[in-house]
Amino acid sequence: CSYRIMSFLRALCVLLSIPLVAFAAPPSVLVCGGSMMNGDHFADSTLDVMRRHYAGCQKVALVLHASLPAERDRMEKRLQEAFAHVRVPAAESLHRHDAAGAKALLASADGIFIGGGETFVLLGELYRTGQLQLIRDRVAAGVPYGGSSAGANVAGLLIGTTNDFPTAEIPSRTALGIFPAVINPHHPAPVTKADFDGRVGKIKIYLQFNPTETVLGLANTSIARLHDGKVTLEAGLGWVYRAGAGRALVPGDQVPELMGKP
């Protein structure tokens, strides 16, 4: 299974000119479509998978670059409450530290979580600070990663269907490459037909121009997880798209399209 994963990622990285992350162990990566907070706790539908994903973690490094600087203290406090609720004793934001201290926190924490906001600002800051490669290295070493909205976008191979305005310059659309898809967060549900049809249409056009890519759409509070060499929709609604094809996912569905041939 691990051989198939590495072969698939290697082929994608060659096609997209993305550096391959060399994993010492199968990575554990959680991506959420967004809006996963319910007050100061994670949304009820996400609690079980968040507990399992971060089980045993003692301190999570919070990466809040995507949010406005004035909002980061408040967001850190909310996430500290939310992680305590899923039995993680400590969570601390990188914005509390200077450049060296932020890297030290990333290097020492046994969990990583990247919040939502502006994807281009987030990716640009990860490049500027050198934190992009450090996060790749930590995930490759077995540290669990979670990201919501913008934090899900940057987990993928590149940022391509972000829904964001390009609010900052970035050196490259190449992202962390720790999750084998391009993520589309905040994907509308079919009950909002006009919004749903509009999003599906945009993704299909994107794939006509980028036919080698696979897009994973995730609705709000929906979670997909790469764990033990498999991608599974753990909560909510999801959709997987390839050029000329697409299908809906329900919780418990595995996504072999992201793992190569079974």
Side-chain angles (χ1 to χ4, degrees), residues 11-12 24 35 47 64 84 92 111 114 125 131 141 157 170 176 206 211 213 218 232 234:
L12 275 178
S35 302
L47 288 174
L64 306 180
E92 185 177 356
I114 301 188
E125 188 70 0
Q131 294 165 5
L157 297 170
I170 54 174
L176 285 164
Y206 176 84
E213 296 178 25
L218 292 169
T232 306
E234 298 273 5

Side-chain angles (χ1 to χ4, degrees), residues 26-32 36 42 46-61 83 86-88 110-114 138-139 142-148 151 155 178-179 223-228 230 232 234:
S28 189
V29 179
L30 177 153
V31 289
C32 178
M36 69 183 301
F42 295 118
T46 71
L47 288 174
D48 176 65
V49 63
M50 289 295 285
R51 286 192 185 101
R52 286 187 282 113
H53 188 67
Y54 288 100
C57 288
Q58 297 300 304
K59 188 171 190 178
V60 170
F83 274 104
V86 294
R87 307 186 190 115
V88 176
D110 55 3
I112 296 169
F113 181 84
I114 301 188
R138 295 291 286 145
V139 175
V143 172
Y145 172 101
S148 180
I178 56 176
F179 192 92
I223 288 177
R225 188 180 183 219
L226 170 62
H227 187 71
D228 287 340
K230 301 173 184 177
T232 306
E234 298 273 5

Side-chain angles (χ1 to χ4, degrees), residues 87-106:
R87 307 186 190 115
V88 176
E92 185 177 356
S93 174
L94 270 59
H95 84 275
R96 296 288 180 192
H97 302 274
D98 61 14
K103 284 190 171 183
L105 176 56
L106 279 173

Side-chain angles (χ1 to χ4, degrees), residues 2-22:
S2 296
Y3 173 78
R4 292 199 301 271
I5 295 168
M6 293 301 293
S7 297
F8 176 68
L9 288 176
R10 186 175 291 107
L12 275 178
C13 291
V14 169
L15 285 169
L16 300 172
S17 299
I18 296 171
L20 179 67
V21 180

Side-chain angles (χ1 to χ4, degrees), residues 12 26 32 45 59 70 73 76 78-79 97 107 118 153 158 165 169 189 193 198 201 203 205 209 212 237 242 247 258:
L12 275 178
C32 178
S45 62
K59 188 171 190 178
D73 286 355
E76 179 189 40
R78 290 181 68 199
L79 285 167
H97 302 274
E118 298 297 326
N153 281 331
L158 53 80
F165 289 156
E169 296 293 337
K193 187 176 188 306
I203 292 172
I205 291 171
F209 285 98
T212 64
L237 300 174
R242 284 176 160 175
R247 69 181 181 97
L258 301 185

Side-chain angles (χ1 to χ4, degrees), residues 154-216:
V154 299
L157 297 170
L158 53 80
I159 60 168
T161 59
T162 69
N163 310 318
D164 293 28
F165 289 156
T167 48
E169 296 293 337
I170 54 174
S172 169
R173 292 193 302 123
T174 300
L176 285 164
I178 56 176
F179 192 92
V182 173
I183 309 296
N184 179 245
H186 306 290
H187 193 298
V191 292
T192 57
K193 187 176 188 306
D195 291 341
F196 177 81
D197 290 347
R199 183 68 56 84
V200 172
K202 288 181 178 179
I203 292 172
K204 286 181 177 179
I205 291 171
Y206 176 84
L207 287 170
Q208 289 178 31
F209 285 98
N210 301 277
T212 64
E213 296 178 25
T214 301
V215 175
L216 179 67

